[in-house]
Amino acid sequence: MSRPSVSYFAAAAVVIAGLAGLVRGAVPQQSAAPAPASSGPGIVIGSAYVRQPANLINAAAYFTVYNTTDQPDTLTTVDSGAGAQTTLHVEDASGAMSANAAGLTVPAHGSASLVPGKGHVMIEKLYGRLLAGQTVNLSLTFAHAGQILVTVPVIGVTAPAPTPGGTPK
């Protein structure tokens, strides 16, 4: 029987360290106050929150995207360290909520909102319990603006949702 080489053990150590960092990034962090809106080139994210989930499997994130540029942009993907995967769900023409692989288009000098009953980002296969007062990190990727990182507060089941503070200039 042959012994594993030193490089085998070194590679295993790197993989374990990488997984430890990924898991650490997936654990919801405590937050004393809701985070301010986040922005990238011409895109502003406001009124963001995650409602404390009723189960340990899925959670929904809601927010408004403001586009201050002269061209439409599309939210193509959303990633979160709070769960194994994320899916953008929007209301379709029949009024049903369905996954939207095409993304969320935000018109030039306009906005698009993900609100209960109209759309959300489903954070699936949660890595841990999400409680009111914690925060969840979201990485939003846009076709033109690129990646925008957002820290989203988790609010209680009966807490009022944040309201928009007006359209950014």
Side-chain angles (χ1 to χ4, degrees):
M1 173 159 69
S2 65
R3 299 181 81 190
S5 68
V6 173
S7 61
Y8 173 82
F9 286 112
V14 168
V15 168
I16 291 169
L19 289 174
L22 178 62
V23 170
R24 175 65 184 117
V27 176
Q29 303 299 305
Q30 295 288 33
S31 174
S38 297
S39 63
I43 297 290
V44 177
I45 309 301
S47 306
Y49 68 98
V50 171
R51 179 76 63 191
Q52 181 177 337
N55 61 46
L56 298 175
I57 302 168
N58 301 320
Y62 304 97
F63 50 86
T64 298
V65 180
Y66 299 96
N67 182 355
T68 63
T69 70
D70 293 331
Q71 67 178 351
D73 206 343
T74 301
L75 174 61
T76 58
T77 61
V78 179
D79 292 306
S80 175
Q85 63 190 46
T86 58
T87 307
L88 176 63
H89 290 108
V90 295
E91 184 179 40
D92 63 22
S94 71
M97 197 68 60
S98 62
N100 184 352
L104 178 68
T105 299
V106 186
H109 299 289
S111 65
S113 294
L114 297 175
V115 296
K118 299 292 181 185
H120 59 270
V121 171
M122 182 64 72
I123 305 168
E124 302 170 83
K125 301 175 187 173
L126 295 174
Y127 292 128
R129 183 176 295 262
L130 296 180
L131 301 173
Q134 294 177 324
T135 59
V136 172
N137 294 325
L138 299 177
S139 173
L140 311 178
T141 303
F142 291 85
H144 299 292
Q147 185 180 52
I148 298 173
L149 302 175
V150 183
T151 301
V152 180
V154 177
I155 64 172
V157 174
T158 60
T163 56
T167 304
K169 303 288 184 220

